[in-house]
Amino acid sequence: MGSCNVPYMSVLLLCFFIGSFFVPQCLSIGDDANQTAFLLVNASEALGRPIPETLFGIFFEEINHAGAGGLWAELVSNRGFEAGGPNIPSNIDPWSIIGNESSSLTLSTDDSSCFERNKVALRMEVLCDTEGTNICPAGGVGVYNPGFWGMNIEKGKKYNVVLYVRSSGAINVSVSLTGPNGLETLATHDITASASQVSNWTKMEVLLEANATNPNARLQLTTTRKGVIWFDQVSAMPNDTYKGHGFRSELAEMLADLKPKFIRFPGGCFVQGGRLKNAFRWKSTIGPWEERPGHFGDVWMYWTDDGLGYFEFLQLTEDLGALPVWVFNIGISLNDQVSTSNIRPFVQEALDSIEFARGDPNSTWGSMRAAIGHPEPFDLRHFALGNEDCGNKNYQGNYLKFYDAIKKAYPDIKIITTCDRFSQKLDHADLYDYHVYKSAKDMFSMAHQFDLASRDGPKAFVSEYAVNGKTAGKGNILAALAEAAFLIGIEQNSDAVSMASYAPLFVNDNDRRCNCL
């Protein structure tokens, strides 16, 4: 790593005019005079400050459906029917029925899946047939999944559909991508199998090529054959994900254009959880996607199947040429916590996570990474202990247990505390995490936040900043200027601030949880 010397530009803005926003503040000569902006720049070499190579990066949190229904390319929502948790009957939303539930078919869930960590499966009993007194409708009966507020299916593109099937008899199931009402067929493929072929759980894979474009499409599983069919782990992914690693190409390319030097992940409050039982647990997010149990993010209140897990985050940082900044739960959620005397298992989880990222392919956890297909270690250099936890009664004690263990095993890793140096003296930290969410007016004043910050000891990591509230909306010039002013202050004080990233990264308009610009 290195740094470059960039002169500090002392800027005096005498007047500016943008659209019709600031007319009263502008200086003009006569009513018809052209508006003039004067910019004085002091580019003296003496005022230059070193800017860290890592100064600007990005922060990803599973909020606003940024991953599930966003950057992660999985099209099916609740693919394993687990959104209600391990208990049955489970919540199968947004899966819905095709046909008349009283006369055509019945749906239920049971715990018959072949996957030990997610036992819930969908049981579909088809009551109609191709002959007799109860004839199935021409299009068949079954279930459909609209994805995350509609699947964006594009003409000419291919989609990989994977599903696990079991049946008490022979099956003939149509796997289709259709328009939102099921009347327009964009792509379809029939799966036929004898009773002996599907008497046990069987993995089926089809490749569908769309013959038309529809941004509101859905996936359908239909049949006209009477009998009982079980479905589980139904996935649909575009064939052309970013570098073949499961990320939506157009969104990942936008991130690549930002040229981030680091990615902080996976949160945020998502790391903490409202309760520890719903916190992000990395070991449940690695390995085959079918075996990941998923979890309910009880801070932002939606289910994620954890297809976007620890390994995928590490892969994304590598694909973008960025450093990973791994945020780890230190036994504290928003509503419960682990005492320092009992924190050792959490510390071991942290050490295991580092070994997974950096360990030799022959090590316990490094071998698991290698088995996934990545024998080379990832370049993990930064480890953030907690998120906004400093005021918690167990934070200091827990933090020191993590700090000592990690530094002993990996002395080169830079450890980030959530306690900021504005409120207390900091020991045992390489960086301190600083979050700022303000109105546009207050964000302008934050440009001077680090002017008097100490240049000795831990540097600042401004991992979350944004104009929020009424002055943010869905984006406006005032909020953008306020954030730009704040960033100018960070550049001016780049000897006191090492890293900075905006939050949140993505917002799905259908589930806007954060009123930030």
Coordinates of all heavy atoms in Angstrom, one line a residue, residues 432-478:
Y432 N -10.7 3.9 14.4 CA -12.0 4.0 15.1 C -13.1 4.3 14.1 O -12.9 5.1 13.2 CB -11.9 5.0 16.2 CG -11.7 6.5 15.8 CD1 -12.8 7.3 15.6 CD2 -10.5 7.0 15.7 CE1 -12.6 8.7 15.2 CE2 -10.3 8.3 15.3 CZ -11.4 9.2 15.1 OH -11.2 10.5 14.8
D433 N -14.2 3.7 14.3 CA -15.4 3.8 13.4 C -16.2 5.1 13.7 O -16.4 5.3 14.9 CB -16.2 2.6 13.5 CG -17.1 2.4 12.3 OD1 -17.1 3.2 11.4 OD2 -17.9 1.4 12.3
Y434 N -16.6 5.8 12.7 CA -17.3 7.1 13.0 C -18.4 7.1 12.0 O -18.2 7.0 10.8 CB -16.4 8.3 12.8 CG -17.0 9.6 13.2 CD1 -17.1 10.0 14.5 CD2 -17.5 10.5 12.2 CE1 -17.7 11.2 14.9 CE2 -18.1 11.7 12.6 CZ -18.2 12.0 13.9 OH -18.8 13.2 14.3
H435 N -19.7 7.3 12.5 CA -20.9 7.4 11.6 C -21.5 8.8 11.8 O -21.6 9.3 12.9 CB -21.9 6.4 12.1 CG -21.4 4.9 11.9 ND1 -22.2 3.9 12.3 CD2 -20.3 4.4 11.5 CE1 -21.5 2.7 12.1 NE2 -20.4 3.1 11.6
V436 N -22.0 9.3 10.6 CA -22.6 10.6 10.7 C -23.8 10.7 9.7 O -23.6 10.5 8.5 CB -21.6 11.8 10.4 CG1 -20.8 11.5 9.1 CG2 -22.3 13.1 10.4
Y437 N -25.0 10.9 10.3 CA -26.2 11.1 9.5 C -26.8 12.4 9.9 O -27.1 12.6 11.1 CB -27.2 9.9 9.7 CG -26.7 8.6 9.2 CD1 -26.1 7.7 10.0 CD2 -26.9 8.3 7.8 CE1 -25.7 6.4 9.5 CE2 -26.5 7.0 7.3 CZ -25.9 6.1 8.2 OH -25.5 4.9 7.7
K438 N -26.9 13.3 9.0 CA -27.3 14.7 9.4 C -28.3 15.3 8.3 O -28.3 14.8 7.2 CB -26.1 15.6 9.5 CG -25.1 15.2 10.6 CD -25.6 15.5 12.0 CE -24.5 15.3 13.0 NZ -25.0 15.5 14.4
S439 N -28.9 16.3 8.7 CA -29.6 17.1 7.7 C -28.6 17.8 6.8 O -27.4 17.9 7.2 CB -30.5 18.2 8.4 OG -29.7 19.2 9.0
A440 N -29.0 18.3 5.7 CA -28.1 19.0 4.8 C -27.4 20.1 5.5 O -26.2 20.3 5.3 CB -28.8 19.5 3.5
K441 N -28.2 20.9 6.2 CA -27.6 22.1 6.9 C -26.5 21.7 7.9 O -25.4 22.3 7.9 CB -28.7 22.9 7.7 CG -28.2 24.0 8.4 CD -29.3 24.7 9.2 CE -28.8 25.9 10.1 NZ -29.9 26.5 10.8
D442 N -26.8 20.7 8.6 CA -25.8 20.2 9.6 C -24.6 19.5 9.0 O -23.5 19.6 9.5 CB -26.4 19.3 10.6 CG -27.4 20.0 11.6 OD1 -27.3 21.2 11.7 OD2 -28.3 19.3 12.1
M443 N -24.8 18.9 7.8 CA -23.7 18.2 7.2 C -22.7 19.2 6.6 O -21.5 18.9 6.6 CB -24.3 17.3 6.0 CG -23.2 16.4 5.4 SD -22.5 15.2 6.5 CE -23.7 13.9 6.3
F444 N -23.1 20.4 6.2 CA -22.2 21.4 5.8 C -21.2 21.7 6.9 O -20.0 21.8 6.7 CB -22.9 22.7 5.4 CG -23.4 22.7 3.9 CD1 -24.8 22.6 3.6 CD2 -22.5 22.7 2.9 CE1 -25.2 22.6 2.3 CE2 -23.0 22.7 1.6 CZ -24.3 22.7 1.3
S445 N -21.7 21.8 8.1 CA -20.8 22.2 9.2 C -19.9 21.0 9.6 O -18.8 21.3 10.2 CB -21.7 22.5 10.5 OG -22.4 21.4 10.9
M446 N -20.3 19.8 9.2 CA -19.4 18.6 9.5 C -18.1 18.6 8.7 O -17.2 17.8 8.9 CB -20.2 17.4 9.3 CG -21.3 17.1 10.2 SD -20.8 16.9 11.9 CE -19.9 15.4 11.9
A447 N -18.0 19.5 7.7 CA -16.8 19.6 6.9 C -15.6 19.9 7.8 O -14.4 19.7 7.4 CB -17.0 20.7 5.9
H448 N -15.8 20.5 9.0 CA -14.7 20.9 9.9 C -14.6 19.9 11.0 O -13.8 20.2 12.0 CB -14.9 22.3 10.4 CG -15.0 23.3 9.3 ND1 -13.9 23.8 8.6 CD2 -16.1 24.0 8.8 CE1 -14.3 24.7 7.7 NE2 -15.6 24.8 7.8
Q449 N -15.3 18.8 11.0 CA -15.3 17.9 12.1 C -13.9 17.4 12.5 O -13.6 17.2 13.7 CB -16.2 16.6 11.8 CG -16.3 15.6 12.9 CD -17.0 16.1 14.1 OE1 -17.7 17.1 14.1 NE2 -16.8 15.4 15.2
F450 N -13.0 17.2 11.5 CA -11.7 16.6 11.9 C -10.6 17.6 11.8 O -9.4 17.2 11.9 CB -11.5 15.4 10.9 CG -12.4 14.3 11.0 CD1 -13.5 14.2 10.1 CD2 -12.3 13.3 11.9 CE1 -14.4 13.2 10.2 CE2 -13.2 12.2 12.1 CZ -14.3 12.2 11.2
D451 N -10.9 18.9 11.8 CA -9.9 19.9 11.7 C -9.0 19.8 13.0 O -7.8 20.0 12.8 CB -10.5 21.3 11.6 CG -11.1 21.5 10.3 OD1 -11.0 20.7 9.4 OD2 -11.7 22.6 10.1
L452 N -9.6 19.6 14.1 CA -8.8 19.6 15.4 C -8.5 18.2 15.9 O -8.1 18.0 17.0 CB -9.5 20.4 16.4 CG -9.8 21.9 16.0 CD1 -10.6 22.6 17.1 CD2 -8.5 22.6 15.7
A453 N -8.9 17.2 15.1 CA -8.6 15.8 15.6 C -7.1 15.5 15.7 O -6.3 16.0 15.0 CB -9.2 14.8 14.6
S454 N -6.8 14.7 16.7 CA -5.4 14.4 16.9 C -4.8 13.6 15.7 O -5.5 12.8 15.1 CB -5.3 13.5 18.2 OG -4.0 13.0 18.3
R455 N -3.6 13.9 15.5 CA -2.9 13.3 14.4 C -2.1 12.1 14.9 O -1.4 11.4 14.1 CB -2.0 14.3 13.7 CG -2.6 15.0 12.4 CD -3.9 15.7 12.7 NE -4.4 16.3 11.5 CZ -5.6 16.8 11.4 NH1 -6.5 16.7 12.4 NH2 -6.0 17.3 10.2
D456 N -2.2 11.8 16.2 CA -1.5 10.7 16.8 C -2.5 9.6 17.1 O -3.6 9.9 17.5 CB -0.7 11.2 18.1 CG 0.3 12.2 17.8 OD1 1.0 12.1 16.8 OD2 0.4 13.2 18.6
G457 N -2.0 8.4 17.1 CA -2.9 7.3 17.5 C -3.8 6.9 16.4 O -3.6 7.2 15.2
P458 N -4.9 6.2 16.8 CA -5.8 5.6 15.7 C -6.4 6.7 14.9 O -6.8 7.8 15.3 CB -6.9 4.9 16.6 CG -6.3 4.7 17.9 CD -5.3 5.8 18.1
K459 N -6.5 6.4 13.6 CA -7.1 7.3 12.6 C -8.6 6.9 12.5 O -9.1 5.9 12.9 CB -6.5 7.1 11.2 CG -4.9 7.3 11.3 CD -4.5 8.7 11.8 CE -3.0 8.8 11.7 NZ -2.5 10.1 12.3
A460 N -9.4 7.9 11.9 CA -10.8 7.7 11.7 C -11.1 6.8 10.5 O -10.5 6.9 9.5 CB -11.5 9.0 11.6
F461 N -12.1 6.0 10.6 CA -12.8 5.3 9.5 C -14.2 5.8 9.5 O -15.0 5.3 10.3 CB -12.7 3.8 9.7 CG -13.4 3.0 8.7 CD1 -13.7 3.4 7.4 CD2 -13.8 1.7 9.0 CE1 -14.3 2.7 6.5 CE2 -14.4 0.9 8.1 CZ -14.7 1.4 6.8
V462 N -14.5 6.7 8.6 CA -15.9 7.2 8.5 C -16.7 6.2 7.6 O -16.8 6.4 6.4 CB -15.9 8.6 7.9 CG1 -17.3 9.2 7.9 CG2 -15.0 9.6 8.7
S463 N -17.2 5.2 8.2 CA -17.7 4.1 7.4 C -19.1 4.3 7.0 O -19.6 3.6 6.2 CB -17.6 2.8 8.2 OG -18.4 2.8 9.4
E464 N -19.8 5.2 7.6 CA -21.2 5.5 7.3 C -21.4 7.0 7.3 O -21.3 7.6 8.4 CB -22.2 4.8 8.2 CG -22.1 3.3 8.1 CD -23.2 2.6 9.0 OE1 -24.3 3.2 9.2 OE2 -22.9 1.5 9.6
Y465 N -21.7 7.7 6.2 CA -22.1 9.1 6.2 C -23.2 9.3 5.2 O -23.2 8.6 4.2 CB -20.9 10.0 6.0 CG -20.4 10.0 4.5 CD1 -21.0 10.8 3.6 CD2 -19.4 9.1 4.1 CE1 -20.5 10.8 2.2 CE2 -19.0 9.0 2.8 CZ -19.5 9.9 1.9 OH -19.1 9.8 0.6
A466 N -24.1 10.2 5.5 CA -25.2 10.6 4.5 C -26.0 11.7 5.0 O -26.2 11.8 6.2 CB -26.1 9.4 4.2
V467 N -26.5 12.5 4.1 CA -27.6 13.4 4.5 C -28.9 12.6 4.5 O -29.1 11.7 3.7 CB -27.8 14.5 3.4 CG1 -29.0 15.3 3.6 CG2 -26.5 15.5 3.5
N468 N -29.7 12.8 5.6 CA -30.9 12.0 5.7 C -32.0 12.8 6.1 O -31.9 14.1 6.2 CB -30.7 10.8 6.7 CG -30.5 11.3 8.1 OD1 -30.3 12.5 8.4 ND2 -30.5 10.4 9.1
G469 N -33.2 12.2 6.3 CA -34.4 12.9 6.7 C -35.0 13.7 5.6 O -34.8 13.4 4.4
K470 N -35.7 14.8 5.9 CA -36.5 15.5 4.9 C -35.6 16.2 3.8 O -36.1 16.4 2.7 CB -37.4 16.5 5.6 CG -38.5 15.9 6.5 CD -39.3 17.0 7.1 CE -40.4 16.4 8.0 NZ -41.3 17.5 8.6
T471 N -34.4 16.5 4.2 CA -33.5 17.2 3.3 C -32.8 16.2 2.3 O -32.1 16.7 1.4 CB -32.5 18.0 4.0 OG1 -31.8 17.2 4.9 CG2 -33.1 19.2 4.7
A472 N -33.1 14.9 2.5 CA -32.5 13.9 1.6 C -33.5 13.5 0.5 O -33.2 13.6 -0.7 CB -32.0 12.7 2.3
G473 N -34.7 13.1 0.9 CA -35.6 12.6 -0.1 C -35.1 11.5 -0.9 O -34.4 10.6 -0.4
K474 N -35.3 11.5 -2.2 CA -34.7 10.5 -3.1 C -33.6 11.2 -3.9 O -33.2 10.6 -4.9 CB -35.8 10.0 -4.1 CG -36.8 9.1 -3.4 CD -37.7 8.4 -4.4 CE -38.6 7.4 -3.8 NZ -39.5 6.7 -4.8
G475 N -33.1 12.3 -3.4 CA -31.9 12.9 -4.0 C -32.2 14.3 -4.5 O -33.2 14.5 -5.1
N476 N -31.3 15.2 -4.1 CA -31.5 16.6 -4.5 C -30.1 17.3 -4.4 O -29.2 16.8 -3.8 CB -32.5 17.3 -3.7 CG -32.1 17.3 -2.2 OD1 -31.2 18.0 -1.8 ND2 -32.9 16.5 -1.4
I477 N -30.0 18.4 -5.1 CA -28.7 19.1 -5.2 C -28.2 19.6 -3.9 O -27.0 19.6 -3.6 CB -28.8 20.3 -6.2 CG1 -27.4 20.8 -6.6 CG2 -29.7 21.4 -5.7 CD1 -26.6 19.8 -7.3
L478 N -29.1 20.0 -3.0 CA -28.6 20.5 -1.7 C -28.0 19.4 -0.9 O -26.9 19.7 -0.3 CB -29.8 21.1 -0.9 CG -29.5 21.7 0.5 CD1 -28.6 22.9 0.3 CD2 -30.8 22.1 1.2

